Amino acid sequence: MNQRQAAARLRVVLGHLGQTSARTGVAYSTSRAVSPNSFHPPQFQYTQHNAVLSLEQRKFYEENGFLVIKSLVSDADIQRFRDQFERICRGEVKPEQMMIMRDVSIAKSEYIPSERMISKIQDFQEDKELFRYCTLPEILKYVECFTGPNIMAMHTMLINKPPDSGKKTSRHPLHQDLHYFPFRPSNKIVCAWTAMEHIDRNNGCLCVFPGTHKGYLKPHNYPQWEGGVNLMFYGIQDYDENSPRVHLVMEKGDTVFFHPLLIHGSGWNRTQGYRKAISCHFASADCHYIDVKGTSQEIVEREVMELVHRLYGIPKDTSLQVRLYEMKDL
Ligand SMILES: O=C(O)CCC(=O)C(=O)O
């Protein structure tokens, strides 16, 4: 992206501050009438009143901070996302503003266009085919249960966890996604993460700490791993080793919705396959931006500012720092 395109991107980003954008901000207001029978007392703080979630599902999310919906995304849609990812890997399509990441174990090796080179793409909002994921009615119907109506798609990823090199760098350290997001309130943010194939502990499933969404945002740092650590893979050290953890074994199309304070990570990939998942963080358009200066999130701001300076030549010291974060997070 050149500086002109970066400026255009910034305008889009700034647009989000005031209103929902046509593309990245998914306009979605299908709130349905609430029948008297579905009224629930106000002790619920993480879910919204509507007719989608059963009382049992609401209670589960409230208590645990995540909810798995089986077979939510069709095989046909998953195949389309997979095909498009392969086209991107082969260099046949290059959506603007998308960030392509390589695993730390191969970051310096020669680039051969194939899925073996790319561990993650993010910010694919300009790619119509991949961004369809964020507009699927079956996804949005559940998202609305957490964010309420007027939903924005804030951050997109397709994760292609590579076979581990033996140094366990394919792990994703335990973290809270809110660390990356300079907007609030956290209860109006939710991640949808869909398995694109069978995922279990062998190929590095998600591991979640139920109930941790009720806590606070903890300080994050890069873990000191022998084989190095991937860019932006911050982790927390301060968590209770003994607190129960759940490994989410999922089938193709299964989707987990989770709260941005939920402590989670994923294990290393012991197989020879490339484990794929597609995800989007959604937020209510009512969310507001915060200034992260003086908070534990400042570390991300500094790194993102370095990155956009290096990649796009945008000055580091600018009053637009908070907005520039969104160049990554959209
Ligand atoms: O898909 C994974 O391996 C983990 C993704 C994740 O936790 C994240 O990107 O925040």
Side-chain angles (χ1 to χ4, degrees):
M1 195 183 339
N2 60 32
Q3 201 155 1
R4 193 176 51 77
Q5 288 165 324
R9 175 79 193 271
L10 189 54
R11 273 198 299 280
V12 172
V13 170
L14 292 172
H16 283 282
L17 289 171
Q19 61 185 48
T20 306
S21 133
R23 292 278 317 281
T24 45
V26 181
Y28 182 73
S29 327
T30 57
S31 299
R32 42 198 84 58
V34 178
S35 77
N37 289 343
S38 66
F39 176 77
H40 298 303
Q43 73 266 24
F44 291 115
Q45 48 173 318
Y46 302 104
T47 55
Q48 306 280 316
H49 297 293
N50 70 30
V52 176
L53 296 185
S54 67
L55 181 55
E56 198 186 340
Q57 287 174 317
R58 281 192 78 180
K59 281 185 173 162
F60 187 90
Y61 188 91
E62 293 278 335
E63 195 49 37
N64 296 287
F66 69 96
L67 182 68
V68 177
I69 305 295
K70 304 290 289 174
S71 307
L72 188 63
V73 178
S74 72
D75 285 2
D77 279 328
I78 301 276
Q79 189 58 47
R80 284 178 66 170
F81 303 142
R82 187 177 273 272
D83 291 346
Q84 184 68 352
F85 179 65
E86 283 168 12
R87 280 190 282 271
I88 291 168
C89 291
R90 289 195 299 267
E92 290 167 18
V93 280
K94 288 191 186 136
E96 267 192 18
Q97 299 162 9
M98 196 176 65
M99 197 179 275
I100 294 185
M101 327 276 282
R102 299 175 71 184
D103 189 75
V104 63
S105 60
I106 55 156
K108 295 203 169 88
S109 62
E110 187 197 350
Y111 189 83
I112 303 154
S114 85
E115 72 161 358
R116 284 180 302 181
M117 289 288 136
I118 296 182
S119 58
K120 173 151 85 172
I121 56 181
Q122 53 182 16
D123 302 333
F124 56 64
Q125 68 277 357
E126 299 304 322
D127 184 300
K128 278 204 181 101
E129 195 56 15
L130 290 181
F131 194 70
R132 278 185 60 252
Y133 173 73
C134 311
T135 66
L136 291 176
E138 58 271 40
I139 291 283
L140 292 172
K141 157 177 122 165
Y142 282 99
V143 169
E144 190 180 2
C145 300
F146 310 106
T147 61
N150 298 328
I151 302 164
M152 301 221 301
M154 305 302 281
H155 180 223
T156 49
M157 289 187 287
L158 194 153
I159 306 135
N160 186 43
K161 193 191 272 287
D164 200 89
S165 63
K167 297 200 163 148
K168 299 192 185 168
T169 53
S170 64
R171 282 176 296 171
H172 197 132
L174 292 171
H175 65 284
Q176 297 164 301
D177 290 341
L178 195 67
H179 178 63
Y180 299 94
F181 299 143
F183 41 89
R184 300 289 188 275
S186 59
N187 292 351
K188 293 284 185 79
I189 305 171
V190 72
C191 178
W193 186 102
T194 300
M196 292 175 68
E197 61 195 295
H198 171 83
I199 301 183
D200 59 21
R201 289 188 76 172
N202 247 351
N203 57 359
C205 65
L206 286 184
C207 167
V208 301
F209 283 52
T212 48
H213 65 301
K214 295 178 192 165
Y216 296 100
L217 182 59
K218 293 174 180 288
H220 287 60
N221 267 304
Y222 277 120
Q224 302 295 311
W225 287 347
E226 190 200 326
V229 63
N230 282 309
L231 191 69
M232 293 286 172
F233 272 32
Y234 287 97
I236 54 175
Q237 278 75 47
D238 163 31
Y239 63 92
D240 181 0
E241 283 275 1
N242 300 316
S243 87
R245 52 183 87 184
V246 175
H247 291 93
L248 298 180
V249 176
M250 294 168 66
E251 301 303 329
K252 193 204 290 190
D254 292 355
T255 302
V256 59
F257 296 90
F258 63 91
H259 190 281
L261 281 171
L262 185 76
I263 297 178
H264 69 285
S266 66
W268 55 297
N269 183 357
R270 303 159 213 231
T271 71
Q272 288 312 303
Y274 288 75
R275 189 230 74 183
K276 291 182 180 52
I278 186 164
S279 80
C280 178
H281 282 90
F282 297 93
S284 160
D286 295 338
C287 282
H288 60 273
Y289 287 84
I290 57 159
D291 187 348
V292 296
K293 285 269 176 316
T295 75
S296 63
Q297 290 180 258
E298 197 171 352
I299 180 178
V300 183
E301 179 181 53
R302 234 176 288 125
E303 188 164 2
V304 172
M305 292 303 293
E306 283 290 338
L307 203 65
V308 294
H309 176 63
R310 191 151 41 85
L311 294 177
Y312 314 127
I314 291 182
K316 278 186 257 179
D317 192 17
T318 152
S319 59
L320 294 176
Q321 282 183 348
V322 173
R323 279 91 163 166
L324 282 170
Y325 256 115
E326 278 309 277
M327 295 187 71
K328 172 188 175 289
D329 285 333
L330 268 169

